[in-house]
Amino acid sequence: MNAHSAVLQKDITPEGSDYDTVRRVIEKISLDFRDQPSLHELAAEVGETPMGLQKLFTRWAGLSPKAFLQAVTLNHARRLLDEGLPLLEASMEVGMSGPGRLHDLFVTHEAMSPGDYKTRGAGLTIRYGWHLSPFGVALVMVTDRGLAGLSFNDAGGEREAFADMSSRWPNAAYVEDMSATAPYAARIFDPARWREEEPLRVVLIGTDFQVRVWQALLKIPMHKAKTYSAIAGEIGAPKASRAVGAAIGANPVSFVVPCHRALGKSGALTGYHWGLTRKRAILGWEAGQVST
């Protein structure tokens, strides 16, 4: 398979999908969060009634638009970082539902050897497929050893997403096989299956430094966040914050290896390879999972 020719054969995104509406609301929130837009203003932005938007948003995130707005503000992120405050406690502070069972994503992982990485995927067969997710269309890539890649795109961006991911391992053989990737997609995005007895196998394909950074990300629980500098200190490279940031940006297994939980020193969300709107969506969605 030519690494730049794969494209989704048909649009799998249902018309009027929840995420498309949520994405537009999040973009409005991102631009106007200082003004704390009201439910009526947000509903008008996406052509929904206030009641309709409230129901849709709560169905998607487990949070009302107002609670979601509070969960993705800079002040909230600063509390997570500066006080080490669990997201569940912060959620309760802003009036979300009381504590419930917290489902932590249980991941088992291994790393390919540096020699394997240097071959740029030569001798490796990667099976891929596109699947619906809470955050748009997900491109899932697997090897016989486990999940190797996960990226996101909006409808119509499949070719670019595939080119981005396949360029990381240009010498691999790519086979479109949704039957192989579907079990992973179902496992990743279903919180009811985030349990130790059904572990998700992940294989990390990168440089030794990148793998160390990604392993540090896996240690960040769903209800916390860390700065780039804190991660640099954890891996024994306290002066390498910029290199850590680059490794986080190159993370090929988004969401599962939670690069979205890495924040700037001030608590700012900073860059995210798949877009800051999507990063806010993931953080807000996780807040909803914790609160319920």
Side-chain angles (χ1 to χ4, degrees), residues 209-225:
F209 182 83
Q210 287 175 329
V211 168
R212 285 160 56 203
V213 171
W214 302 338
Q215 288 172 331
L217 291 174
L218 281 166
K219 296 177 183 177
I220 305 175
M222 197 162 105
H223 54 304
K224 294 203 177 165

Side-chain angles (χ1 to χ4, degrees), residues 31-157:
L31 291 173
D32 301 338
F33 72 90
R34 290 180 180 83
D35 299 328
Q36 296 286 294
S38 69
L39 178 62
H40 283 75
E41 290 173 313
L42 294 173
E45 181 73 15
V46 296
E48 286 276 353
T49 65
M51 180 68 71
L53 179 60
Q54 181 91 353
K55 288 182 177 178
L56 181 151
F57 212 96
T58 304
R59 180 173 67 245
W60 178 84
L63 304 173
S64 68
K66 180 179 179 180
F68 184 96
L69 172 61
Q70 292 169 319
V72 298
T73 60
L74 180 61
N75 287 338
H76 174 81
R78 283 173 174 160
R79 288 203 305 274
L80 295 182
L81 293 171
D82 296 341
E83 301 175 14
L85 186 65
L87 184 55
L88 178 57
E89 294 176 22
S91 298
M92 292 173 66
E93 283 187 358
V94 297
M96 299 178 200
S97 57
R101 180 182 177 187
L102 173 62
H103 293 283
D104 284 324
L105 183 59
F106 188 86
V107 176
T108 60
H109 68 277
E110 61 175 303
M112 296 187 72
S113 71
D116 289 333
Y117 174 72
K118 286 179 181 178
T119 67
R120 308 290 284 166
L124 192 65
T125 296
I126 296 179
R127 300 182 183 278
Y128 67 91
W130 280 278
H131 303 272
L132 290 177
S133 84
F135 316 110
V137 179
L139 172 59
V140 179
M141 292 183 159
V142 303
T143 72
D144 59 359
R145 293 161 68 177
L147 178 71
L150 174 61
S151 69
F152 298 103
N153 61 268
D154 297 321

Side-chain angles (χ1 to χ4, degrees), residues 172-241:
Y174 291 90
V175 179
E176 184 168 7
D177 186 354
M178 290 183 65
S179 65
T181 56
Y184 285 88
R187 167 73 175 83
I188 290 165
F189 300 114
D190 182 1
R193 297 178 63 183
W194 294 0
R195 52 183 184 262
E196 184 174 353
E197 60 268 25
E198 191 183 356
L200 178 69
R201 293 185 298 122
V202 176
V203 57
L204 304 177
I205 309 174
T207 66
D208 177 67
F209 182 83
Q210 287 175 329
V211 168
R212 285 160 56 203
V213 171
W214 302 338
Q215 288 172 331
L217 291 174
L218 281 166
K219 296 177 183 177
I220 305 175
M222 197 162 105
H223 54 304
K224 294 203 177 165
K226 287 189 178 178
T227 63
Y228 299 120
S229 56
I231 294 169
E234 279 190 17
I235 66 170
K239 297 182 179 180
S241 293

